[in-house]
Amino acid sequence: MSWVETVYNYSYFVGAFGLIMIGLYAVMVKTNLIKILIGINLIDVGVNIFLVSLGYIKGKGAPIFSNASVTPANSIDPIPQALVLTAIVIGVAVTALSLSVIIKLYQHYKTLDISKIREMRW
Amino acid sequence: MVDYAILLIALPLFAAFLIPLVAMVNKNWPKYIPILVTAFNSVLSINLLLYLNAHNGTPFIVKIGGFIPPFGINLFIGYLAIILLMLISFVGLMISLYTINTVKDAESRYYMLFILLLMGVTGLVITGDLFNMFVFLEITSISAYSLTAYKRDGLSLEASMKYILIGSLASVFVLIGIGVIYYSTHTLNIADISNHINTVPKYIKMFSLSMLLIGLAIEAELFPVNGWVPDVYQASPTPVTTIFSSIVVKATIYVFFRVLFTVFRADLTVMNFVMGLGVITLLIGEISALKQVNIKRMLAYSSIGQVGLIVIAISSYSSMGVAGGIYQMINHAIFKGILFLGTAYMITSVSGTGKISDLKGIAQKMPISSFIVSFSIIALLGVPPLTGFWAKMMILSSVMSSGHQIIVALILFATVVEAVYYLKFIAVIYDSSEITNSFKSTIKFNKIVPIVLFALTIILFSVVPQFLVKFQDVLLKAANELTNVSSYISIVLGS
Amino acid sequence: MKKIIATLILLVFTFYTYNTIKGFRFGHDFLNAKTNNKKISQKIEPAGKHYLENNKLENNASNVVTSIVVSYRGFDTLGEVTVLFLAATGLGVILTLTKKEDDDENENDSSEGEPSLIVKTASRILFPLIFIFGAYVFIHGHLTPGGGFQGGTIIASAYLMMFLSYSNFKINHSIFKSIESMSGLTFISIGLVGLIGFGIFLKLNLIPMGVFNTLFSAGLIPIVYIIVGFKVGSELTAVVDSYRENW
């Protein structure tokens, strides 16, 4: 299997890890705290897409038995979806907390540039 | 049955949700709630210990929601979990005694975060489900982030920001690792994963192992990724620093090795790699501690060094080494409890900025605390009859018998380095010259009592021989719980 | 320099990930795959398959994801609720204001940034509708996609809209705090009822299970999700409010 074929077959994984890479790059290179936080959020989204795509099964649908045509035999794996729900909530909590720290840091130092904030040795 | 073991988590949670309502009735009541909660948890964990003793020491599981294990979440409680639980609730009780009237304008929210931090650590120690472990890891770290920033000055905000950035990367890596492990075994229960792990192709196993290793190493303060530790320890309020050093790190080391031993059934190559990380962590921690001028920073580096020692001990994989590592965890929690609380108590009496030189000659004014601090330093260094000696002995003999003589030499070298800066510190506090800083005597019983109780624990561990013999037996059983995978599987999944 | 090192690290990471991921079989039907592996000492079906097949019997909720989130892995959800509670609490700790600063900044802002009458009227009309939609989402969490977290977020977004369109819109903090605490306490109390009565924490089939795929089914699952909805709604509103007060 050539790599083009691999990328085509695994487009969800490629997308997920692409987002993770972009986020990691932002975290490593950017010096603005808001941009770093955006990078972390991108990583979070990438991981969530990765988890959801792990549970996908070709030709099957959502595991909600609201009409008779959906049966256990033609539903996808429900566990990753439940995990992603938890992961999203945790991501929201961390983002909210870090935004509040950023607000206070800005009020304290009047800058968002981590290379200018005094004690931080990165 | 012992289904009430879930109260270890449910009750602190209940108390934390109750605090806002209590604070509306009376602003002074919330500060007593942590004491009640930790005291209850201490009693409960002693009760579980008695239960375990009465049932041949076989670990037991608690099913949550009534679903049988791989399908529902279960708790796994054996001697190891109970040792750590007793440590958590005892140190938690001491620190909540110390905290009263200590933290500047502590409001009800501080106590909520404090209880939830302890709750998260408790959950980490007893849970038997990989994803649940991740959730508790997040509870622990999010409360740690907010407690670090509690003072709201520049330093603590920066430390908290650093901690948040590194901690969220850690959680991302852990989550990727869990996802891959779930995909290849279709289960999240630790015992069930361990049951299936040998069917997973080696490269997938290595990928998820390396992801989890990076994530958990950040939380467990291992070498390449522990740059946040000194800043966070220095910036957070002292009771919180004590919790980080005494308890949170211990729980994350436990998780680290539970994942390595039980989830991945790691082989000797991986364990040797981890041991190498431990050695580097030990050396870097101790050597960096030498040149510190701030007390909390010095203790933070010393704490990193001790983490390295514990990791070396447990990764030796022999039952004696693992037992020694667990013993060192207990010792270190108590020693660092005394050192952080004792030095903070001294610093509040002189108007200083937390430098070592501020404490020059403090022993003339505060003889009891100075004596206890020096006593615990001597015990930490491993002077023979005291408890630190026995732990180091166990670690050294097990590393020796596994054939790593050079590591034994490095541990001894690190101990010498440790002795240098700690003895220098003792020399400063027993200096005979007059105190330069203004000294105001503040005898507070809620600060002295925890320190004295910690010191009594050291004496109990050191000089009561009958207790020691029984204790070593318990330690070996606890070590066996950590390393024996097949018994873990058969207890959780049934045979 | 920094960029080159970062790129190198990412290249190594990409290579490593690519080599692992290409061993995965995307979309493979692993739930019904037959394995005859001798290395496993005990044969247990995949958890996902167990949930799909036994959900109707054990939880009677037509949305399997909900029954996993609330019932099978209810302990995780308790942890999730705690995480949000922690974030709201920590935010309150960090963003506590000194009173003087607050007055200065607020007065400058409020005179300039007042939205137009159209925005105000429209959001006053939309507010109850969004609120009801949020309530609908969390009440029907066991039947349709959605649930407590989603519904709570929708309710918080209704409040966010009000904050944006009325610069002096104030919420009563003590009421929100009490809702937050009371719903958390109720969640744990439901768990404790099971512990006291049956020795099982978070047992959710205490009440009649009802008829499958109707509103009154699935035991305590909808009730737990309603509690979670209230909790998440009040917490996120408090979070948004603390941000607003700071600027």
Side-chain angles (χ1 to χ4, degrees):
Chain A
M1 196 158 55
S2 75
W3 71 272
V4 180
E5 225 174 319
T6 317
V7 169
Y8 178 74
N9 281 334
Y10 295 90
S11 47
Y12 282 88
F13 293 150
V14 172
F17 277 96
L19 282 172
I20 293 174
M21 297 303 164
I22 296 170
L24 279 177
Y25 182 80
V27 170
M28 281 189 281
V29 170
K30 297 290 169 192
T31 54
N32 186 308
L33 276 174
I34 296 284
K35 287 181 185 169
I36 292 177
L37 190 64
I38 291 172
I40 284 177
N41 278 341
L42 282 176
I43 301 176
D44 272 349
V45 174
V47 173
N48 291 340
I49 293 174
F50 176 62
L51 285 180
V52 170
S53 56
L54 285 179
Y56 175 71
I57 296 172
K58 221 163 237 160
K60 296 192 175 184
I64 299 175
F65 302 148
S66 46
N67 62 38
S69 67
V70 186
T71 59
N74 62 15
S75 308
I76 58 153
D77 187 3
I79 298 178
Q81 308 204 355
L83 302 189
V84 165
L85 185 56
T86 309
I88 289 174
V89 172
I90 289 171
V92 167
V94 173
T95 309
L97 200 63
S98 46
L99 275 174
S100 71
V101 176
I102 290 174
I103 289 174
K104 276 285 156 184
L105 268 178
Y106 183 75
Q107 288 176 352
H108 205 276
Y109 291 103
K110 304 290 174 216
T111 177
L112 284 173
D113 191 341
I114 54 170
S115 57
K116 287 188 187 134
I117 292 178
R118 191 166 36 96
E119 327 276 334
M120 273 191 179
R121 286 176 291 268
W122 292 84
Chain B
M1 278 310 288
V2 275
D3 299 308
Y4 57 83
I6 187 68
L7 288 177
L8 284 168
I9 289 172
L11 197 97
L13 209 48
F14 194 85
F17 288 142
L18 199 64
I19 283 180
L21 297 180
V22 173
M24 281 178 196
V25 179
N26 187 328
K27 277 221 151 59
N28 278 323
W29 288 352
K31 67 182 170 200
Y32 301 111
I33 290 181
I35 300 177
L36 292 177
V37 170
T38 46
F40 176 84
N41 268 9
S42 310
V43 173
L44 191 54
S45 36
I46 290 170
N47 186 353
L48 291 175
L49 179 68
L50 295 178
Y51 175 87
L52 212 59
N53 275 338
H55 289 74
N56 318 323
T58 320
F60 57 89
I61 62 169
V62 177
K63 302 179 205 109
I64 296 166
F67 302 104
I68 48 164
F71 306 121
I73 292 171
N74 68 288
L75 308 181
F76 181 90
I77 302 178
Y79 275 120
L80 179 55
I82 285 178
I83 288 173
L84 290 171
L85 284 175
M86 287 169 78
L87 197 66
I88 291 167
S89 35
F90 175 67
V91 176
L93 180 60
M94 294 299 117
I95 291 169
S96 32
L97 276 176
Y98 185 92
T99 310
I100 299 178
N101 305 328
T102 303
V103 179
K104 203 175 59 181
D105 53 64
E107 35 168 348
S108 58
R109 291 195 189 108
Y110 174 83
Y111 300 104
M112 277 145 84
L113 293 171
F114 183 81
I115 291 178
L116 288 174
L117 179 63
L118 288 180
M119 192 278 284
V121 177
T122 311
L124 275 181
V125 170
I126 60 182
T127 185
D129 186 281
L130 199 57
F131 194 76
N132 198 241
M133 203 175 251
F134 169 75
V135 172
F136 279 115
L137 203 63
E138 286 305 299
I139 292 177
T140 311
S141 22
I142 292 178
S143 41
Y145 303 153
S146 349
L147 283 172
T148 305
Y150 189 79
K151 285 197 222 153
R152 291 187 291 270
D153 53 4
L155 195 67
S156 58
L157 287 169
E158 282 160 18
S160 174
M161 196 67 232
K162 209 171 183 179
Y163 195 5
I164 289 176
L165 295 181
I166 296 176
S168 43
L169 284 182
S171 71
V172 164
F173 284 122
V174 171
L175 203 52
I176 295 176
I178 291 176
V180 173
I181 262 293
Y182 172 76
Y183 179 76
S184 33
T185 60
H186 314 308
T187 179
L188 287 165
N189 186 289
I190 290 177
D192 204 18
I193 292 174
S194 178
N195 193 13
H196 285 82
I197 196 75
N198 283 337
T199 63
V200 179
K202 183 132 201 257
Y203 61 98
I204 292 183
K205 194 172 145 184
M206 283 315 289
F207 180 75
S208 75
L209 174 64
S210 51
M211 289 292 142
L212 278 164
L213 210 66
I214 296 172
L216 292 173
I218 290 175
E219 302 285 348
E221 308 181 357
L222 277 179
F223 157 64
V225 280
N226 54 8
W228 55 273
V229 178
D231 292 0
V232 169
Y233 278 28
Q234 190 189 345
S236 37
T238 310
V240 179
T241 315
T242 319
I243 292 272
F244 287 165
S245 173
S246 302
I247 295 176
V248 177
V249 189
K250 306 297 177 302
T252 44
I253 292 174
Y254 163 79
V255 170
F256 187 81
F257 282 106
R258 176 62 83 198
V259 167
L260 277 183
F261 285 145
T262 312
V263 175
F264 287 100
R265 302 189 179 200
D267 52 10
L268 217 58
T269 338
V270 177
M271 293 328 294
N272 282 340
F273 175 70
V274 172
M275 192 186 263
L277 287 184
V279 172
I280 301 172
T281 313
L282 172 64
L283 291 176
I284 294 211
E286 300 293 11
I287 291 171
S288 314
L290 263 180
K291 58 173 198 289
Q292 299 304 320
V293 286
N294 185 299
I295 296 175
K296 266 176 147 179
R297 225 175 156 81
M298 181 187 91
L299 292 177
Y301 277 112
S302 153
S303 188
I304 292 176
Q306 293 289 323
V307 168
L309 185 61
I310 294 168
V311 168
I312 293 172
I314 299 183
S315 58
S316 73
Y317 220 148
S318 62
S319 62
M320 191 52 120
V322 178
I326 298 166
Y327 195 3
Q328 184 65 17
M329 279 190 191
I330 302 170
N331 282 340
H332 179 241
I334 292 165
F335 297 147
K336 276 286 141 68
I338 294 181
L339 285 176
F340 274 115
L341 296 184
T343 51
Y345 179 42
M346 290 174 183
I347 286 170
T348 48
S349 305
V350 296
S351 53
T353 51
K355 290 212 177 90
I356 295 175
S357 52
D358 290 341
L359 293 180
K360 206 167 186 183
I362 193 85
Q364 299 159 22
K365 302 279 184 183
M366 305 175 81
I368 301 173
S369 336
S370 308
F371 175 73
I372 292 176
V373 165
S374 327
F375 174 70
S376 79
I377 285 175
I378 288 168
L380 173 70
L381 293 177
V383 173
L386 296 172
T387 172
F389 171 73
W390 301 112
K392 259 186 192 155
M393 204 58 213
M394 282 164 92
I395 295 172
L396 286 177
S397 68
S398 73
V399 175
M400 190 67 141
S401 64
S402 67
H404 300 285
Q405 278 84 354
I406 186 144
I407 291 180
V408 174
L410 288 173
I411 292 175
L412 290 175
F413 169 70
T415 310
V416 172
V417 175
E418 202 179 17
V420 169
Y421 64 81
Y422 272 130
L423 293 179
K424 232 162 65 185
F425 178 68
I426 293 184
V428 169
I429 60 176
Y430 277 97
D431 196 286
S432 55
S433 62
E434 271 302 304
I435 302 176
T436 44
N437 287 35
S438 62
F439 177 83
K440 52 176 195 302
S441 169
T442 46
I443 293 176
K444 292 219 178 87
F445 281 102
N446 70 325
K447 297 194 176 181
I448 294 178
V449 167
I451 303 172
V452 172
L453 280 176
F454 273 136
L456 286 180
T457 334
I458 295 183
I459 295 172
L460 175 75
F461 275 110
S462 304
V463 296
V464 188
Q466 205 181 2
F467 177 75
L468 267 183
V469 172
K470 193 142 190 232
F471 182 65
Q472 198 167 29
D473 193 40
V474 171
L475 278 181
L476 286 173
K477 274 185 188 162
N480 187 41
E481 274 163 28
L482 190 57
T483 48
N484 191 339
V485 180
S486 55
S487 86
Y488 186 95
I489 295 176
S490 67
I491 286 165
V492 176
L493 299 182
S495 50
Chain C
M1 194 57 210
K2 214 163 142 193
K3 285 182 185 172
I4 297 168
I5 294 173
T7 320
L8 279 178
I9 293 174
L10 287 183
L11 277 178
V12 172
F13 187 64
T14 315
F15 184 70
Y16 190 32
T17 321
Y18 172 78
N19 272 335
T20 310
I21 297 295
K22 77 178 183 201
F24 285 20
R25 295 158 74 188
F26 179 68
H28 169 61
D29 189 0
F30 55 83
L31 290 184
N32 300 310
K34 288 200 168 47
T35 49
N36 286 315
N37 208 313
K38 295 242 164 54
K39 282 184 195 159
I40 307 172
S41 56
Q42 282 156 314
K43 276 244 174 327
I44 293 165
E45 58 183 333
K49 193 178 180 192
H50 177 92
Y51 293 157
L52 286 172
E53 282 168 358
N54 298 311
N55 167 55
K56 191 168 176 179
L57 189 74
E58 288 175 351
N59 285 312
N60 207 19
S62 44
N63 185 346
V64 184
V65 178
T66 297
S67 73
I68 291 173
V69 168
V70 182
S71 177
Y72 290 113
R73 304 189 67 83
F75 201 47
D76 275 356
T77 305
L78 192 57
E80 250 175 289
V81 169
T82 314
V83 165
L84 262 188
F85 178 71
L86 264 174
T89 313
L91 209 92
V93 167
I94 294 167
L95 291 182
T96 312
L97 291 176
T98 45
K99 264 276 167 307
K100 245 197 311 186
E101 262 181 87
D102 182 24
D103 291 344
D104 289 353
E105 287 181 16
N106 260 5
E107 253 146 65
N108 291 346
D109 285 347
S110 55
S111 54
E112 293 165 19
E114 193 71 10
S116 75
L117 187 66
I118 297 171
V119 173
K120 283 184 170 180
T121 315
S123 52
R124 212 166 53 223
I125 295 168
L126 277 175
F127 179 75
L129 296 177
I130 299 178
F131 201 100
I132 288 171
F133 178 59
Y136 169 82
V137 167
F138 65 67
I139 289 171
H140 289 75
H142 58 301
L143 303 174
T144 55
F149 293 98
Q150 296 87 329
T153 317
I154 292 170
I155 288 179
S157 74
Y159 276 102
L160 174 61
M161 185 182 69
M162 292 307 272
F163 286 137
L164 290 176
S165 43
Y166 291 83
S167 55
N168 53 357
F169 185 78
K170 287 252 160 35
I171 57 168
N172 188 335
H173 282 280
S174 55
I175 289 179
F176 273 78
K177 237 185 205 175
S178 336
I179 293 175
E180 215 176 301
S181 290
M182 290 305 291
S183 44
L185 289 176
T186 325
F187 195 165
I188 300 174
S189 307
I190 288 175
L192 290 178
V193 167
L195 183 68
I196 294 163
F198 303 87
I200 296 168
F201 186 69
L202 278 178
K203 187 178 168 65
L204 293 183
N205 50 7
L206 295 173
I207 58 170
M209 299 301 275
V211 183
F212 188 70
N213 209 6
T214 57
L215 186 57
F216 295 100
S217 66
L220 287 172
I221 288 178
I223 294 172
V224 168
Y225 246 180
I226 288 169
I227 293 166
V228 172
F230 273 111
K231 195 164 165 56
V232 173
S234 56
E235 270 159 6
L236 289 181
T237 310
V239 165
V240 171
D241 190 47
S242 339
Y243 284 141
R244 193 187 59 94
E245 278 180 355
N246 256 268
W247 289 104

